[in-house]
Amino acid sequence: LIAENLRTMLPTIVSRCQHIKFSPLDVKKIATTLEKRLNVDATSAMNAAQFSKGSYSRARGFVSENLEEKLKSGLEFLRAGVTSNFEKAALIADKWSKTTSSHDRNEKFDFLSYWISGALKQSVFHEESKLDIMSVCDFDNITRKMASLYSPLQLSESLRVVEETRLAVYNNAIAPLAIFALVINLHRIF
């Protein structure tokens, strides 16, 4: 029995299985494999590999999807929460909550977290992004601006709230309510 996530398995099954953990795959190896097997250009392959968290199947999915649109969706949600645009935030929350796959919903939280952690890295370490796609959606300039507007404490608190919401949705909380509560919490923090 092979599973990516033990939390999705029934405890009675997990207790009867041997647990073998594999470390994430190397980003460069994933990118090279994507280039060879799927005939993807080097930049797209590297961006997909960076976002994959060491998973070839996730990277393959990112190659076929539009990463820039996903990043922009996370930024739109973040802006709606920060600027108190609750109407827009409610529309985005509704759209996100209608995502049927828990993997897709989790991915949306990943991209939201990516913006906040990017700003936090710039705020604390003055670290720029190394992903080529970020230049397309102006990632470094936006995170630099976020880092100048908000304190590291605000950014780390917002990251904590995003992760709490991800966990609540994962544990079967009512997704639209949990995601809209995230908007309110982001507004409170910023």
Side-chain angles (χ1 to χ4, degrees), residues 43-96:
T43 301
S44 297
M46 185 52 83
N47 287 334
Q50 290 278 359
F51 276 105
S52 72
K53 296 181 181 177
S55 167
Y56 177 74
S57 59
R58 283 187 85 190
R60 196 177 61 220
F62 286 141
V63 165
S64 64
E65 299 166 358
N66 190 341
L67 281 177
E68 184 182 355
E69 286 304 313
K70 290 184 175 202
L71 277 166
K72 285 182 179 178
S73 171
L75 180 61
E76 235 180 277
F77 184 83
L78 190 58
R79 281 183 177 151
V82 170
T83 61
S84 305
N85 188 343
F86 294 118
E87 187 176 318
K88 185 173 187 173
L91 290 172
I92 296 170
D94 186 51
K95 184 178 174 184
W96 281 19

Side-chain angles (χ1 to χ4, degrees), residues 120-128:
L120 189 57
K121 286 176 186 174
Q122 287 210 1
S123 178
V124 177
F125 304 111
H126 307 288
E127 180 181 309
E128 301 280 319

Side-chain angles (χ1 to χ4, degrees), residues 91-136:
L91 290 172
I92 296 170
D94 186 51
K95 184 178 174 184
W96 281 19
S97 64
K98 288 181 180 172
T99 304
T100 53
S101 160
S102 63
H103 171 74
D104 290 342
R105 204 176 296 135
N106 197 35
E107 201 174 79
K108 292 184 185 317
F109 288 113
D110 284 345
F111 286 105
L112 182 58
S113 296
Y114 202 79
W115 284 104
I116 299 169
S117 61
L120 189 57
K121 286 176 186 174
Q122 287 210 1
S123 178
V124 177
F125 304 111
H126 307 288
E127 180 181 309
E128 301 280 319
S129 166
K130 293 174 181 65
L131 300 179
D132 293 331
I133 194 167
M134 299 312 169
S135 60
V136 176

Side-chain angles (χ1 to χ4, degrees), residues 34-52:
L34 289 171
E35 287 177 57
K36 288 179 182 174
R37 288 190 181 172
L38 302 178
N39 296 323
V40 176
D41 65 280
T43 301
S44 297
M46 185 52 83
N47 287 334
Q50 290 278 359
F51 276 105
S52 72

